[in-house]
């Protein structure tokens, strides 16, 4: 008999970091006391311009004048929810040369540490954990999928409230999706004062982007079968 295992319903911190790096279009580079705002519009994301490696790999020899650097990235909700900041990510390390965002080749960054700050607190993520984490197939499509859901299927979003447990308070004034990943969707329930998030996991995790639509449709189907009345439902 196989031992019982709890299904995974949300990304690990390492997966969150991988998703932020994959989907970010801008970051702040801090080196030599200078801050440089970098906006990447070529679709590659920061990791198309930086290569993280372990200090033991010896990419830089002892003669290199390595430059301490800090990379700051923010994870912003693509929908117009309250408090759109979802997480902050800070990467530190050493560069073998001054960073140039317009360089034709990627720059090697000797990994120091990765710090993820979100509603769960502060979490340090190791390079081994980042290498072991799978890339979320939805990460680079999340913003487009959520904005499409809100803009083109506004009437369907409140339907998902039928799946929220415990039941939302009736004084809620608005609900919007705030996050989407391979494991499920997160709703933000907004009240006259304050808000709370509700997690709705998919039946099974998405392994390819082509599966995402069917997982979302499965949640809507489950919501339609539910008899959970709410004042926001039409």
């Amino acid at each position: 008999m196989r031992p019982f295992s709890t299904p995974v319903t949300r990304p690990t911190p390492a997966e969150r970091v991988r998703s932020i790096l994959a989907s970010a279009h801008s970051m702040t580079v801090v080196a030599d006391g200078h801050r440089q705002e970098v906006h990447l519009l070529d679709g590659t994301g920061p990791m198309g311009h930086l290569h993280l490696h372990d200090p033991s790999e010896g990419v830089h020899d002892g003669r290199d004048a390595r430059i301490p650097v800090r990379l700051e990235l923010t994870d912003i909700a693509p929908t117009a929810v309250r408090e759109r900041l979802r997480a902050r990510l800070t990467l530190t390390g050493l560069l073998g040369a001054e960073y140039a965002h317009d360089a034709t080749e990627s720059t090697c960054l000797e990994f120091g540490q990765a710090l993820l700050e979100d509603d769960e607190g502060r979490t340090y993520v190791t390079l081994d954990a980042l290498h072991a984490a799978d890339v979320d197939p939805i990460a680079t499509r999340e913003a487009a999928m959520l904005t499409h859901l809100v803009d083109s299927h506004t009437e369907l979003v409140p339907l998902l409230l039928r799946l929220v447990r415990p039941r939302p308070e009736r004084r809620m004034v608005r609900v919007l999706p705030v996050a989407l990943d391979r494991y499920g969707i997160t709703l933000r329930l907004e009240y006259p004062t304050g808000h709370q998030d509700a997690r709705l996991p998919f039946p099974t995790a998405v392994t390819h982007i082509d599966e995402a639509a069917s997982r979302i449709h499965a949640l809507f189907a489950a919501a339609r079968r539910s008899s959970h009345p709410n004042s926001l439902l039409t």
Side-chain angles (χ1 to χ4, degrees):
M1 179 181 296
R2 290 185 178 182
F4 174 79
S5 60
T6 303
V8 178
T9 60
R10 62 181 64 244
T12 66
E15 289 174 318
R16 290 284 312 281
V17 171
R18 290 289 299 267
S19 293
I20 292 172
L21 293 176
S23 59
H25 294 289
S26 65
M27 64 181 173
T28 302
V29 179
V30 184
D32 287 338
H34 301 287
R35 298 176 65 88
Q36 181 180 11
E37 302 297 329
V38 180
H39 298 276
L40 306 172
L41 303 177
D42 57 4
T44 61
M47 291 302 96
H49 296 258
L50 288 166
H51 169 252
L52 298 179
H53 68 86
D54 191 281
S56 64
E57 294 179 17
V59 174
H60 304 295
D61 60 38
R63 294 171 295 178
D64 288 334
R66 294 181 291 176
I67 302 172
V69 66
R70 183 172 76 250
L71 310 179
E72 300 173 350
L73 301 97
T74 55
D75 179 28
I76 304 295
T79 51
V81 295
R82 294 176 184 167
E83 298 185 22
R84 294 181 64 184
L85 178 64
R86 300 188 300 193
R88 297 184 187 273
L89 171 62
T90 304
L91 291 174
T92 58
L94 297 171
L95 293 177
E98 184 176 350
Y99 175 76
H101 73 276
D102 55 353
T104 57
E105 297 182 356
S106 63
T107 303
C108 284
L109 173 63
E110 183 177 296
F111 182 84
Q113 68 180 21
L115 172 62
L116 178 69
E117 300 174 272
D118 58 14
D119 290 341
E120 301 296 321
R122 295 160 56 92
T123 306
Y124 289 93
V125 179
T126 66
L127 187 59
D128 287 341
L130 290 179
H131 286 327
D134 291 331
V135 176
D136 192 320
I138 294 180
T140 59
R141 300 283 298 277
E142 179 200 18
M145 295 179 70
L146 287 185
T147 53
H148 173 75
L149 178 60
V150 171
D151 293 342
S152 302
H153 304 284
T154 307
E155 76 286 354
L156 293 179
V157 176
L159 186 65
L160 294 175
L161 290 171
R162 294 182 176 184
L163 301 178
V164 173
R165 297 293 186 273
R167 295 184 177 185
E169 299 177 25
R170 289 187 175 273
R171 64 188 182 92
M172 179 177 50
V173 295
R174 188 173 69 158
V175 57
L176 287 172
V178 67
L180 176 68
D181 55 67
R182 69 188 307 174
Y183 300 109
I185 189 169
T186 302
L187 303 178
R188 176 148 296 172
L189 284 52
E190 297 181 353
Y191 295 93
T193 57
H195 67 267
Q196 69 179 75
D197 291 345
R199 180 76 177 172
L200 300 179
F202 294 141
T204 56
V206 172
T207 59
H208 190 277
I209 187 61
D210 291 344
E211 302 170 352
S214 65
R215 298 293 193 280
I216 295 173
H217 291 159
L219 287 181
F220 284 125
R224 290 187 180 96
R225 293 193 299 268
S226 174
S227 58
H228 177 171
N230 190 282
S231 57
L232 288 186
L233 296 178
T234 55

